[in-house]
Each structure stands twice: as structure tokens, then as C-alpha cells.
Amino acid sequence: MTSSLWRFGAEEESLASNGASMNQVAAPERTLVLGGGFIGSHVANVAYSEGHNVTVFTRSQPVGTRAKLMSGCELILGDALKTDPSELIQDGDHIVFALGVTYPSEFPSHPMDEVVVALQPLLGTLEAMRARKNTSLMYISS
């Protein structure tokens, strides 16, 4: 099954023009969701329901609705500021970056400090992706 979440538009046209069936995939696609909050948990749920092998990297054990949304997904608990992204993305064909910033702000009098902290995991992820071929990134921010 090919995921409508990841393939759309011109790529679908290209697949169809090459005679490839949109329903043929050799193996389940792998998706790494960085951030298991509100948005990340919903993305993980959709990817899992479409047959992806989903791994979610999140800072805390999900409970309630988020736990239900991510049931069936592999969970990795950790701090994005203290984790080497290259260790996480080595198996990810698709990466969804949905890491959020702290709320309420830890830096109310210095908002640029919060921006710098929020960018560190994204920049590390982009750098780690340089060594990977055929890995896609979806950046989601709320």
C-alpha cells in the first residue's frame, strides 16, 4: 500500500506514467516521528494505519488519547537536545519533525534563547540526513 500521506501530486503522475501500480510496495515503509505531542501522535496514527512501521521519539510516555493514537508504534523516550539524531534516523525512510518548544516558555525575558534551543534538534536532524539517501523530511510546526 502506498501512503497518500507521503506521495502526492507530480510524484503520483510519475509513478503512473512509469506503469507502476500505486498499490505495490515491496516492504512496509518506515516512518520516524520526532515528537509525540498533539500533532506527532496524529501523524504517527495515520502512518501506522496506512501500514508504515512507525517509530516515535518523544520526551515522555504518552497517556490517554496520545497513547491510544500511538498504539502499535515503537516508542523511544528521550530528550531531543541530548540525543544524536543520526542514531534515530538510521532506519527512517520518512522523517516527520514535529518537535515543539517548551510551553509555557522557559525563556520569557529572552525569546531568542528559545528559538536557538528549538533549532538545535532540527539542525542536527538535517545534518544527520546528509548521509542518508532516499530519506524524506516533513517539518510540522504549530
Side-chain angles (χ1 to χ4, degrees):
M1 161 174 34
T2 300
S3 171
S4 59
L5 181 66
W6 308 111
R7 295 192 177 141
F8 54 90
E11 189 173 336
E12 282 184 6
E13 291 173 15
S14 173
L15 286 170
S17 67
N18 290 333
S21 168
M22 292 300 292
N23 294 321
Q24 294 177 343
V25 172
E29 298 181 49
R30 294 180 307 245
T31 299
L32 170 63
V33 179
L34 300 173
F38 177 78
I39 294 172
S41 62
H42 282 83
V43 171
N45 179 267
V46 170
Y48 181 77
S49 70
E50 292 188 0
H52 292 231
N53 290 327
V54 180
T55 300
V56 179
F57 177 79
T58 185
R59 81 180 98 179
S60 59
Q61 185 69 38
V63 296
T65 301
R66 289 187 187 147
K68 290 177 186 174
L69 286 168
M70 292 187 282
S71 66
C73 300
E74 176 188 1
L75 295 178
I76 300 173
L77 301 180
D79 183 339
L81 293 172
K82 298 176 183 175
T83 303
D84 179 358
S86 65
E87 294 176 13
L88 298 173
I89 70 166
Q90 61 187 337
D91 292 324
D93 291 330
H94 303 290
I95 300 169
V96 178
F97 190 94
L99 291 171
V101 295
T102 55
Y103 183 82
S105 175
E106 289 183 6
F107 308 98
S109 60
H110 303 301
M112 280 306 293
D113 290 344
E114 188 149 7
V115 171
V116 170
V117 168
L119 284 177
Q120 288 175 354
L122 175 60
L123 295 174
T125 299
L126 292 171
E127 184 62 32
M129 286 181 65
R130 293 174 79 160
R132 295 278 302 158
K133 300 286 185 202
N134 302 318
T135 299
S136 64
L137 174 70
M138 178 186 293
Y139 178 85
I140 301 175
S141 178
S142 60

